[in-house]
Amino acid sequence: MESENGTVITEFILLGLTQSRDIQLLVFVLVLIFYFIILPGNFLIIFTIRSDPGLTAPLYFFLGNLAFLDASYSFIVAPRMLVDFLSEKKVISYRGCITQLFFLHFLGGGEGLLLVVMAFDRYIAICRPLHYSTVMNPRACYAMLLALWLGGFVHSIIQVVFILRLPFCGPNQLDNFFCDVPQVIKLACTNTFVVELLMVFNSGLMTLLCFLGLLASYAVILCRIRGSSSEAKNKAMSTCTTHIIVIFFMFGPGIFIYTRPFRAFPADKVVSLFHTVIFPLLNPVIYTLRNQEVKASMKKVFNKHIA
């Protein structure tokens, strides 16, 4: 049945990551290992931060939310991709495609804004320590959390509204293993030049500006701590280095995908796999492995529950 915007197709066929059965099997095993070993680590981070009274600082509050966002994000693409690896025909309904796209950008946009909030937290803690408790009070932290959730929602709903207005009358083959803006737009039965520019502005420019702003903020922080004591300097350096690593992993693939015209490149699927499946599982682990307080609390929680 044809909808109001001219769409007549009811489902999309996903061409998948690759047509090679051997590579599919290898990726399936690797993703499954990542999923069932590292994903519980995200929930362990959340449980540890909520259980330990010593981890009440805003940094840990935001780290717990980062783990929650990444755990939620990892449920959008990975489970369906694992099922599709075992299926001959990979099909997703039109509504399912729009839903997947919405949550992908909702949680992804929220996470990008959360990294901005975490950079602000580190700037105040290192460069304005006397004002830290006043600026980063619990009420302000919850207000920032609400703002980033709203920001992610607005960012995502803009994408969805533009796509819902496009007519889809065939073909219906998506050259990817999940639904995302660049591939879906290509299937519209109309000229999408203006829509593509709007999408680049919404996703690409937002990603690029956040990335450059974050790098600039950490550059300021690193310049300010050069004259600090060795212990304080080392701790700040460790924290900032961790954040910068995550920033490159988070925003690098996003910049590659969304800041250029929507045309296919051979590396697109590999970058998308890393961006949507691998990185969300590794992100909180990177933070945790470089944070002595969280690691010590995890050991206490683990020893307490097995004793």
Side-chain angles (χ1 to χ4, degrees):
M1 182 177 178
E2 185 172 352
S3 65
E4 292 182 3
N5 66 355
T7 295
V8 296
I9 64 172
T10 58
E11 63 184 23
F12 292 107
I13 298 173
L14 301 172
L15 297 183
L17 183 65
T18 176
Q19 299 302 310
S20 170
R21 296 297 299 177
D22 292 336
I23 297 178
Q24 285 188 32
L25 179 61
L26 175 62
V27 175
F28 176 85
V29 173
L30 290 176
V31 172
L32 201 62
I33 292 172
F34 270 97
Y35 209 68
F36 286 106
I37 293 180
I38 301 179
L39 182 60
N42 291 345
F43 294 108
L44 178 60
I45 293 171
I46 298 171
F47 179 75
T48 300
I49 291 174
R50 292 187 64 86
S51 302
D52 192 339
L55 300 179
T56 56
L59 173 64
Y60 305 114
F61 170 75
F62 293 127
L63 179 57
N65 280 279
L66 177 69
F68 174 77
L69 273 171
D70 275 318
S72 302
Y73 192 84
S74 65
F75 284 110
I76 300 172
V77 175
R80 184 180 185 89
M81 185 183 71
L82 291 173
V83 172
D84 284 344
F85 274 141
L86 305 177
S87 306
E88 287 296 327
K89 191 176 181 181
K90 306 168 180 59
V91 176
I92 185 170
S93 68
Y94 175 80
R95 291 183 179 180
C97 181
I98 298 299
T99 302
Q100 186 181 66
L101 189 150
F102 169 78
F103 282 105
L104 191 72
H105 286 271
F106 175 41
L107 296 177
E111 183 170 341
L113 295 174
L114 177 57
L115 293 179
V116 173
V117 170
M118 293 177 74
F120 177 74
D121 170 76
R122 289 301 86 200
Y123 173 81
I124 299 297
I126 295 171
C127 301
R128 298 287 188 271
L130 297 179
H131 302 283
Y132 185 74
S133 59
T134 303
V135 176
M136 300 301 295
N137 59 73
R139 185 175 180 179
C141 290
Y142 280 106
M144 292 178 190
L145 187 65
L146 177 61
L148 69 89
W149 278 101
L150 288 175
F153 176 80
V154 171
H155 162 69
S156 183
I157 203 68
I158 290 173
Q159 311 267 32
V160 171
V161 168
F162 282 135
I163 289 180
L164 287 176
R165 293 173 63 87
L166 294 174
F168 295 94
C169 49
N172 66 336
Q173 290 186 333
L174 281 173
D175 189 18
N176 214 328
F177 56 92
F178 69 106
C179 284
D180 200 7
V181 178
Q183 291 78 27
V184 174
I185 284 180
K186 291 175 187 175
L187 299 182
C189 307
T190 186
N191 189 314
T192 60
F193 178 76
V194 175
V195 179
E196 289 184 24
L197 288 182
L198 292 171
M199 292 294 182
V200 169
F201 179 80
N202 183 36
S203 291
L205 189 60
M206 173 186 170
T207 304
L208 183 61
L209 290 178
C210 286
F211 175 72
L212 295 176
L214 286 166
L215 288 184
S217 67
Y218 282 114
V220 172
I221 292 173
L222 293 175
C223 289
R224 291 292 297 271
I225 64 176
R226 285 188 300 177
S228 304
S229 62
S230 295
E231 183 178 353
K233 182 178 179 179
N234 290 337
K235 186 175 181 179
M237 282 285 293
S238 177
T239 302
C240 290
T241 302
T242 303
H243 288 205
I244 292 171
I245 291 172
V246 173
I247 287 168
F248 273 98
F249 282 157
M250 170 73 183
F251 290 99
I255 291 171
F256 178 81
I257 294 170
Y258 299 114
T259 58
R260 56 181 171 80
F262 291 154
R263 54 181 180 177
F265 280 88
D268 281 355
K269 292 183 181 182
V270 177
V271 174
S272 295
L273 177 67
F274 184 81
H275 187 54
T276 60
V277 179
I278 305 300
F279 175 70
L281 300 176
L282 289 176
N283 191 2
V285 176
I286 295 172
Y287 275 94
T288 306
L289 290 178
R290 295 181 63 88
N291 192 299
Q292 299 300 324
E293 289 83 357
V294 176
K295 286 197 292 186
S297 295
M298 279 186 172
K299 290 178 182 178
K300 286 195 300 183
V301 170
F302 182 76
N303 292 333
K304 179 181 178 181
H305 282 80
I306 63 171

